[in-house]
């Protein structure tokens, strides 16, 4: 099976000199197609840092990052943006949706950036929202949706361009139990039905139940696999 | 660069920021309104003062020549197609006497038909007629009022030679240029010449088909050995005053521009700051920095164009409704029309787009440099 993510000896240091913080201390990681990987770790262990590096939102201090077989260090900022657009979907803990757009336009946005075809993108977004059972809120602005709905719309947006990799940073962090389950079920469904590789970083034990593999990140190092 | 996406989001932002968008458009419209109206008045003032002064008080080109050389000059002037008319004038200062009262006046000797082609003075005749002959004169309405005389009555001129000349008033003119109306007495050229004797200089006034060629014609005459000067030189103080006027208008427009821009910069920075997370998300999705910059830039361009349209419509409406205003300029009441031509409309568009884009450029730049990894970290 082909590798979607290959990290080797990735180190990330924030700041310089006395104030330097070593967030990642040499991480090796491989993720295959179709995997649902859960990376657990306490607060401050470097989970967000790791995810940002995989998503090419941040550059490692040293080490090699390959996503979908491509070495990210060699790409310009503009190329990276386009690479993300087509290959990686991202769901953050907060602030995923643009408050100025309806849920439908939020979901359609990555497709609009990629194709420029507004009508077709909206059609695809609506189909996706229907598939996820969210079509009733399509015309609502984000502030009119519940936290759980917002997160599920964010997931829909992350997969509208059919990425090979879906990255989620604490996607259930601010949700109640019921909403958590629905978001996780959604991620699982995408993972199974669309064969999208999913990486979720979290300190929520519940996520582990849905994943095919669990890793622990402690103090910038990957410890054990279960 | 995906321009469809840029426009899509720019329009969404515009609609979503209703209140702020409206404020910015109104502010830009206000300054365009002020700009267009101020400049149309300035153009009107320039037009009003120059068109009244030019040809009447100030000829397009003035040539000084002795009566001996006049016919040679006349031949030269007649052969040139740029010159539409010319008129020899003989000037002298004298005293106008009516009964007990007297006043210093400027006597101008002219050939009435030639002079009329240059200064169109017959248009301003309010009583009697313009055709001065022999012992006749035409005087200004203010002078006539002050001396309490009218057409048909007699006046005396005490010439510099000491002789007294009795004249019958043939006509009265009103140019509404106070120096002319209260000061000038037109008489027949050859009569005046005979009475003055001695060395004299004709002051030949030229009317050009195109007044802007005045300095060219003056230079050409100078080359031929004549003492010539153009209206730009003669009306120098009027032009300088207009320049001062222009300077103050520019200062006013400049301060409006600065205040407007600061207001817009403020609103736009606030909007960018409040949309930081959105921009982080856009970049995380895959929008490029250039696209983000363009979105804000397009928004500001739309503000500029909308503000321009609203402001210009307002200015045109006011200019149409008022048509003209009465202002005091050079201690005279003059009627100033609003001149809102296509050049001014174009300049207003440039003005509003410059205001809006300059004031939005910084926030657009700020937006484009946002790093998603940093803004998405916190709640
Ligand atoms: N921009 C930064 N500058 C300096 N230090 C940083 C920066 N970002 C993160 N850090 C530090 O790096 C370490 C790892 O941070 P990171 O956000 O990756 O942790 P995390 O596992 O995601 O924590 P949490 O569960 O609270 O989100 C922390 O000690 C943090 O203080
Ligand atoms: Mg984190």
């Amino acid at each position: 099976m082909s590798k979607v993510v290959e990290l080797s000896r990735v180190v990330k240091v924030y700041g310089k000199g006395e104030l330097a913080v070593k967030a990642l201390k040499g991480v090796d990681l491989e993720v295959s197609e179709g995997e649902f990987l859960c990376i657990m770790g306490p607060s401050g262990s470097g989970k967000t840092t790791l995810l940002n590096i995989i998503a090419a939102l941040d550059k490692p201090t040293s080490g090699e990052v390959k996503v979908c077989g491509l070495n990210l260090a060699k790409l310009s900022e503009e190329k990276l943006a386009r690479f993300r657009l087509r290959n990686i979907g991202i769901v953050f803990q907060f602030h995923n949706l643009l408050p100025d757009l309806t849920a439908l336009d939020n979901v359609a946005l990555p497709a609009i950036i990629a194709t420029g075809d507004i009508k077709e993108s909206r059609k695809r977004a609506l189909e996706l929202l229907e598939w996820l059972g969210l079509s009733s809120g399509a015309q609502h602005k984000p502030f009119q949706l519940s936290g759980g709905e917002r997160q599920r719309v964010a997931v829909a947006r992350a997969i509208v361009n059919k990425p090979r990799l879906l990255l989620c940073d604490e996607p259930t962090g601010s949700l109640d139990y019921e909403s958590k389950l629905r978001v996780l079920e959604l991620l699982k469904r995408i993972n199974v039905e669309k064969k999208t590789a999913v990486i979720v970083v979290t300190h929520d034990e519940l996520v582990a139940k849905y994943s095919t593999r669990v890793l622990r990140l402690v103090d910038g190092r990957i410890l054990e696999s279960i | 660069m995906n321009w469809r996406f840029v426009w899509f989001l720019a329009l969404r932002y515009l609609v979503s920021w209703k209140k702020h968008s409206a404020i910015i458009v109104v502010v830009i419209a206000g300054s365009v309104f002020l700009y267009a109206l101020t400049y149309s008045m300035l153009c009107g003032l320039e037009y009003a003062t120059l068109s009244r002064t030019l040809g009447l008080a100030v000829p397009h080109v003035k040539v000084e020549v002795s009566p001996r050389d006049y016919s040679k000059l006349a031949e030269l002037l007649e052969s040139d197609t740029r010159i539409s008319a010319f008129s020899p004038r003989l000037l002298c200062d004298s005293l106008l006497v009516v009964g007990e009262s007297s006043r210093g006046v400027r006597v101008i000797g002219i050939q009435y038909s030639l002079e009329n082609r240059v200064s169109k003075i017959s248009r301003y005749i309010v009583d009697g007629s313009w055709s001065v002959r022999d012992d006749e004169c035409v005087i200004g309405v203010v002078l006539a009022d002050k001396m309490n005389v009218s057409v048909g009555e007699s006046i005396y001129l005490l010439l510099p030679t000491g002789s007294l000349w009795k004249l019958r008033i043939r006509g009265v003119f009103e140019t509404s240029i106070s120096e002319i109306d209260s000061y000038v007495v037109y008489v027949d050229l050859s009569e005046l010449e005979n009475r003055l004797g001695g060395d004299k200089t004709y002051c030949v006034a030229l009317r050009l088909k195109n007044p802007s060629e005045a300095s060219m014609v003056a230079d050409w005459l100078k080359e031929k050995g004549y003492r010539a000067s153009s209206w730009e030189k003669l009306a120098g103080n009027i032009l300088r005053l207009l320049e001062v006027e222009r300077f103050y208008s520019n200062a006013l427009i400049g301060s409006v521009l600065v205040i407007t821009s600061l207001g817009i910069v403020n609103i736009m920075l606030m909007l960018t700051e409040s949309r930081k997370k959105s921009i982080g998300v856009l970049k995380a999705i895959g929008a490029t920095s250039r696209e983000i910059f363009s979105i804000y830039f397009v928004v500001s361009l739309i503000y500029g164009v909308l503000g321009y349209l609203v402001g210009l419509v307002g200015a045109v409406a006011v200019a149409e409704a008022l048509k003209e205003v009465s202002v005091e300029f050079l201690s005279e009441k003059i009627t100033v029309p609003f001149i809102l031509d296509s050049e001014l409309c174009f300049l207003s568009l440039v003005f509003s787009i410059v205001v809006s884009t300059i004031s939005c450029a910084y926030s657009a730049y700020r937006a484009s440099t946002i790093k998603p990894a940093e803004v998405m970290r916190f709640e």
Side-chain angles (χ1 to χ4, degrees):
Chain A
M1 235 194 277
S2 73
K3 300 279 181 248
V4 183
V5 177
E6 295 158 84
L7 301 188
S8 66
R9 297 183 306 282
V10 167
V11 173
K12 178 68 186 180
V13 183
Y14 288 113
K16 282 197 179 83
E18 303 239 322
L19 296 169
V21 178
K22 227 172 175 185
L24 296 177
K25 300 171 178 170
V27 172
D28 296 300
L29 177 67
E30 287 192 350
V31 181
S32 309
E33 238 169 22
E35 251 193 290
F36 192 129
L37 174 65
C38 171
I39 300 177
M40 311 252 320
S43 189
S45 56
K47 302 186 297 293
T48 299
T49 305
L50 179 64
L51 213 64
N52 283 345
I53 285 174
I54 297 173
L57 293 174
D58 212 347
K59 283 194 159 31
T61 310
S62 70
E64 198 175 87
V65 184
K66 267 181 159 179
V67 178
C68 301
L70 215 68
N71 190 338
L72 299 186
K74 290 179 182 149
L75 298 182
S76 67
E77 193 251 358
E78 201 146 315
K79 289 248 168 65
L80 281 177
R82 288 317 196 223
F83 174 78
R84 262 199 308 276
L85 181 65
R86 299 205 156 76
N87 299 291
I88 306 174
I90 307 173
V91 179
F92 296 99
Q93 181 168 358
F94 319 101
H95 315 296
N96 276 298
L97 302 183
L98 306 197
D100 301 300
L101 303 189
T102 61
L104 182 68
D105 283 342
N106 259 291
V107 175
L109 205 56
I112 292 173
I113 304 176
T115 65
D117 190 336
I118 293 165
K119 220 172 133 198
E120 185 58 39
S121 302
R122 279 215 180 111
K123 209 177 115 207
R124 214 202 291 174
L126 193 61
E127 281 166 10
L128 200 55
L129 285 175
E130 272 162 9
W131 184 68
L132 300 175
L134 285 164
S135 49
S136 61
Q139 294 305 332
H140 289 156
K141 288 272 181 81
F143 72 89
Q144 295 164 315
L145 300 173
S146 74
E149 284 168 330
R150 254 180 267 168
Q151 262 340 42
R152 281 182 289 151
V153 171
V155 172
R157 190 186 55 201
I159 60 166
V160 75
N161 278 342
K162 305 188 177 75
R164 293 176 63 191
L165 178 61
L166 179 57
L167 302 175
C168 309
D169 190 0
E170 311 266 15
T172 57
S174 52
L175 303 181
D176 61 25
Y177 185 74
E178 202 56 36
S179 305
K180 271 184 199 175
L181 287 185
R182 299 189 69 175
V183 170
L184 289 172
E185 265 155 25
L186 183 59
L187 291 176
K188 187 73 200 165
R189 219 173 118 202
I190 291 162
N191 173 242
V192 172
E193 291 182 28
K194 310 233 175 205
K195 309 267 179 290
T196 310
V198 178
I199 304 178
V200 179
V201 303
T202 183
H203 45 231
D204 187 349
E205 298 287 344
L206 192 61
V207 180
K209 293 210 182 88
Y210 290 83
S211 54
T212 55
R213 182 156 67 117
V214 178
L215 293 176
R216 288 197 185 270
L217 188 68
V218 177
D219 196 20
R221 284 194 182 85
I222 289 193
L223 275 194
E224 60 191 277
S225 58
I226 304 167
Chain B
M1 200 66 170
N2 184 339
W3 282 103
R4 288 230 189 125
F5 155 64
V6 169
W7 275 92
F8 172 78
L9 213 57
L11 292 176
R12 283 307 139 106
Y13 276 172
L14 218 64
V15 173
S16 181
W17 299 342
K18 278 183 220 78
K19 225 157 91 203
H20 293 111
S21 295
I23 293 172
I24 293 177
V25 168
V26 165
V27 166
I28 294 176
S31 57
V32 166
F33 176 81
L34 253 164
Y35 174 89
L37 225 50
T38 311
Y39 266 97
S40 74
M41 261 186 76
L42 204 66
C43 289
L45 184 67
E46 202 167 302
Y47 171 80
T49 41
L50 284 183
S51 68
R52 272 164 20 108
T53 317
L54 264 189
L56 202 58
V58 182
H60 294 163
V61 177
K62 188 180 92 174
V63 193
E64 284 172 65
V65 69
S66 77
R68 262 178 290 115
D69 299 332
Y70 174 68
S71 53
K72 213 175 84 202
L73 174 69
E75 239 171 71
L76 184 67
L77 296 178
E78 254 156 28
S79 69
D80 198 281
T81 52
R82 289 171 294 183
I83 298 155
S84 67
F86 60 92
S87 161
R89 295 171 177 170
L90 187 59
L91 279 66
C92 84
D93 290 321
S94 67
L95 202 65
L96 188 150
V97 186
V98 177
E100 297 284 283
S101 52
S102 64
R103 263 184 101 80
V105 292
R106 159 70 47 93
V107 179
I108 304 179
I110 40 90
Q111 294 173 9
Y112 70 90
S113 55
L114 285 184
E115 176 62 28
N116 192 40
R117 283 171 55 200
V118 170
S119 58
K120 316 262 183 211
I121 185 90
S122 65
R123 279 194 218 156
Y124 302 98
I125 295 292
V126 289
D127 198 9
S129 107
W130 165 243
S131 44
V132 231
R133 248 180 296 222
D134 307 328
D135 292 330
E136 290 173 339
C137 70
V138 169
I139 66 173
V141 69
V142 178
L143 189 61
D145 272 358
K146 286 202 171 132
M147 303 306 285
N148 200 16
V149 289
S150 57
V151 173
E153 293 179 351
S154 291
I155 56 156
Y156 291 90
L157 280 180
L158 181 59
L159 297 175
T161 55
S163 63
L164 209 57
W165 185 10
K166 186 181 177 190
L167 291 151
R168 204 174 61 85
I169 298 174
R170 175 87 173 138
V172 174
F173 60 82
E174 180 174 13
T175 62
S176 68
I177 302 175
S178 57
E179 296 94 78
I180 298 181
D181 290 350
S182 65
Y183 192 52
V184 171
V185 177
Y186 286 105
V187 298
D188 183 66
L189 176 68
S190 46
E191 286 290 332
L192 181 64
E193 200 175 344
N194 288 340
R195 276 158 207 278
L196 286 178
D199 262 357
K200 292 159 301 256
T201 308
Y202 280 173
C203 202
V204 184
L206 270 58
R207 183 179 199 90
L208 304 183
K209 286 178 184 140
N210 180 2
S212 61
E213 287 178 345
S215 35
M216 240 167 68
V217 172
D219 287 343
W220 168 71
L221 285 166
K222 272 186 228 160
E223 267 172 40
K224 302 265 176 194
Y226 293 100
R227 283 171 57 195
S229 40
S230 65
W231 67 268
E232 280 106 334
K233 255 216 181 100
L234 299 169
N237 41 353
I238 290 182
L239 288 181
R240 263 193 296 284
L241 266 166
L242 285 172
E243 233 161 66
V244 170
E245 203 83 358
R246 197 171 272 276
F247 171 79
Y248 281 113
S249 308
N250 281 333
L252 172 78
I253 299 289
S255 27
V256 167
L257 193 137
V258 169
I259 294 166
T260 310
S261 303
L262 282 179
I264 299 172
V265 167
N266 209 21
I267 297 175
M268 283 306 286
L269 277 180
M270 202 194 77
L271 283 174
T272 320
E273 196 62 24
S274 71
R275 295 301 186 275
K276 241 172 144 169
K277 304 269 156 95
S278 290
I279 296 161
V281 170
L282 281 171
K283 285 196 163 180
I285 290 173
T288 63
S289 298
R290 281 201 297 157
E291 281 165 341
I292 304 285
F293 183 87
S294 303
I295 289 166
Y296 278 75
F297 207 74
V298 165
V299 168
S300 72
L301 270 184
I302 296 174
Y303 286 152
V305 171
L306 284 180
Y308 164 72
L309 291 176
V310 174
L312 195 71
V313 164
V316 168
V318 168
E320 281 295 312
L322 294 179
K323 290 271 191 317
E324 51 191 27
V325 284
S326 223
V327 297
E328 196 135 310
F329 186 65
L330 298 174
S331 69
E332 276 178 58
K333 265 233 150 48
I334 56 175
T335 320
V336 173
F338 288 100
I339 299 180
L340 239 168
D341 53 9
S342 54
E343 192 190 331
L344 183 55
C345 293
F346 175 72
L347 284 177
S348 316
L349 178 64
V350 173
F351 173 84
S352 76
I353 287 181
V354 165
V355 172
S356 60
T357 50
I358 284 183
S359 21
C360 295
Y362 178 59
S363 47
Y365 169 75
R366 279 267 296 256
S368 73
T369 55
I370 282 174
K371 298 239 179 325
E374 280 163 24
V375 293
M376 299 309 293
R377 188 170 278 278
F378 311 100
E379 188 174 0

